[in-house]
Amino acid sequence: MQQKMRTGALVLAAGWMLGGCAGTETTPVPLGDGAEGTLIDCSGWRLGVSDCIEAANERCDGEYQVLASTAEQWQARTGVTGLLSDLDRAMIIRCADE
């Protein structure tokens, strides 16, 4: 019985730790002008805004414009900015060359 509890606790702890190691997620999103932007989600508990910035730099070779972020207070989250409403830390960017 004690061995089963110990094994169960180890499995639970490993799953919890691996879940926190997830990196940023990038998702293509259509912009209102027909161009394509990128939603960068860095909402994981071990992630921060610097992880969003790093992902944006990698995605766009350092040349991008932040169109919206969860750090900004939006009056009405409509269109593509509505994607940010359920995220803790995220931003929508447009690469300079796109």
Side-chain angles (χ1 to χ4, degrees):
M1 174 80 165
Q2 197 173 26
Q3 179 65 27
K4 285 184 181 180
M5 288 178 61
R6 195 175 307 146
T7 301
L10 287 173
V11 168
L12 182 61
W16 179 68
M17 287 171 47
L18 289 174
C21 293
T24 56
E25 293 182 31
T26 58
T27 306
V29 293
L31 302 176
D33 60 1
E36 185 175 274
T38 302
L39 169 65
I40 301 176
D41 179 8
C42 49
S43 297
W45 70 273
R46 297 188 76 186
L47 300 173
V49 174
S50 61
D51 296 295
C52 274
I53 294 168
E54 183 179 326
N57 282 321
E58 289 175 9
R59 166 71 180 86
C60 300
D61 294 326
E63 300 288 326
Y64 62 92
Q65 175 186 11
V66 177
L67 302 176
S69 75
T70 53
E72 299 169 1
Q73 297 297 320
W74 294 93
Q75 296 299 326
R77 292 184 188 251
T78 58
V80 72
T81 61
L83 297 171
L84 299 173
S85 61
D86 293 329
L87 303 174
D88 292 327
R89 282 177 302 282
M91 62 183 177
I92 299 172
I93 63 166
R94 177 195 317 236
C95 295
D97 60 356
E98 293 179 0

